[in-house]
Amino acid sequence: VFQQLNWSHDNISLNFDSYFDGVWRSSDAGSNFQIYKNVDLFSIKYDSGINPGDGVSWNDGFVMDASGKVGIGTDNRLDHLHINDDSGDARILLDGHTNFDAELKFAEAGVVKYTVGHEAGTDSFVIGTTNVDTQKRLIIDSSGNVGIGTDSPERPLHIASSTPYIVFDETD
């Protein structure tokens, strides 16, 4: 079942496997979806695992406001991208193709300053500048060794530098 409801200007919904007869109801024993525009919010909502004819409790899957803020799992967006899970851990997955890196980049005015991620070539977690395979600053290899200034840490903490000092500073 597909139903389009034009409630009023700025209140329009496209409904999949659900219908409105005074309350939202499921017409399918599987899943129900709704694409909804209400005033300054655009959302994709869902519900699943209910019987045909039973009431639908819409869950926020994706919500975007007129300023471009996006919520996944929430309609209360606190920043440009807000991910929420009311029933468990909130997670983001970056999944690179076989033998390719998975990276998260941080930029200022369009210039990448730092990158964190998995470098596939060495199977390491890397904090670097432009990419995880160039200008590495910190590496944790697959055995847990940490390297600063080296691409191949040989001990639990391996620091390589022309002046390899560790400074401990006592403060009050």
Side-chain angles (χ1 to χ4, degrees):
V1 170
F2 170 82
Q3 184 178 35
Q4 177 179 339
L5 298 173
N6 298 321
W7 299 97
S8 65
H9 182 75
D10 267 353
N11 191 359
I12 300 167
S13 65
L14 303 174
N15 305 285
F16 302 86
D17 296 329
S18 60
Y19 60 94
F20 188 79
D21 68 356
V23 295
W24 285 106
R25 298 194 183 279
S26 176
S27 63
D28 181 67
S31 58
N32 303 273
F33 292 94
Q34 180 183 69
I35 300 172
Y36 187 50
K37 197 268 185 196
N38 186 12
V39 189
D40 287 334
L41 292 179
F42 173 80
S43 61
I44 299 174
K45 298 177 179 275
Y46 68 94
D47 199 2
S48 63
I50 55 179
N51 296 316
D54 286 352
V56 174
S57 298
W58 293 117
N59 301 291
D60 291 312
F62 170 96
V63 179
M64 183 172 66
D65 66 20
S67 70
K69 289 184 179 177
V70 173
I72 298 175
T74 182
D75 66 354
N76 184 25
R77 297 141 326 280
L78 299 178
D79 219 320
H80 298 288
L81 176 61
H82 183 155
I83 298 172
N84 182 67
D85 189 325
D86 287 334
S87 62
D89 298 336
R91 297 183 172 122
I92 297 174
L93 173 66
L94 300 176
D95 187 5
H97 186 66
T98 303
N99 297 320
F100 286 86
D101 303 332
E103 303 177 352
L104 182 60
K105 296 179 181 261
F106 299 88
E108 178 183 357
V111 178
V112 174
K113 300 292 186 173
Y114 289 96
T115 302
V116 298
H118 174 257
E119 190 208 342
T122 60
D123 192 22
S124 300
F125 176 79
V126 176
I127 298 175
T129 54
T130 56
N131 288 300
V132 295
D133 33 19
T134 60
Q135 297 181 332
K136 300 172 185 177
R137 299 296 185 244
L138 184 134
I139 296 168
I140 303 173
D141 69 16
S142 59
S143 68
N145 290 340
V146 176
I148 299 173
T150 178
D151 290 356
S152 305
E154 298 173 1
R155 300 279 184 258
L157 178 58
H158 184 161
I159 300 173
S161 172
S162 60
T163 54
Y165 298 106
I166 297 176
V167 176
F168 296 96
D169 196 3
E170 183 179 331
T171 61
D172 294 330

